[in-house]
Amino acid sequence: MTMISALLLIAAPTAAAPVLDQRRSDQATAYAARRDGRLLGLREIEGRVVPTMKGAQYIGVDFDSGTGVYTLKFLRDGVVIWVDVDGRSGQVIGRTGR
């Protein structure tokens, strides 16, 4: 094993920790907001948006706890489509791709 490989193995878990902490924080924020009725649940958002994306494969979601926006990701004909949804109202507020 080279010195660079060894350093990468040591640094990798440390570099990933802030990302995991942020994801946990986003999940906790979303859960609390959903519980308190300030945010629609992911399943409700998916139930509104996924059926409108005919011919596209649903590949995942991101949630921004700062804005309360869900970003649903789809794939159609090799093109990624992002659909931004307001988590409070369930309204589509933006879309990129075709």
Side-chain angles (χ1 to χ4, degrees):
M1 180 180 306
T2 67
M3 178 67 118
I4 293 174
S5 297
L7 289 174
L8 289 174
L9 287 174
I10 293 168
T14 306
V19 172
L20 293 175
D21 289 344
Q22 180 61 44
R23 181 161 294 201
R24 284 188 194 109
S25 174
D26 284 349
Q27 290 173 342
T29 300
Y31 176 79
R34 171 71 178 114
R35 183 191 62 224
D36 298 342
R38 294 178 285 125
L39 188 69
L40 297 173
L42 175 58
R43 300 300 168 234
E44 186 169 350
I45 297 291
E46 290 172 334
R48 292 178 182 201
V49 176
V50 172
T52 69
M53 298 298 294
K54 304 289 187 222
Q57 177 186 1
Y58 179 50
I59 56 176
V61 65
D62 286 325
F63 176 72
D64 184 330
S65 63
T67 62
V69 172
Y70 290 95
T71 301
L72 282 70
K73 293 178 267 187
F74 297 88
L75 184 64
R76 182 188 297 135
D77 300 326
V79 176
V80 177
I81 303 164
W82 291 271
V83 179
D84 295 327
V85 181
D86 184 318
R88 291 172 284 282
S89 68
Q91 297 295 310
V92 173
I93 57 174
R95 179 178 165 152
T96 59
R98 2 178 212 140

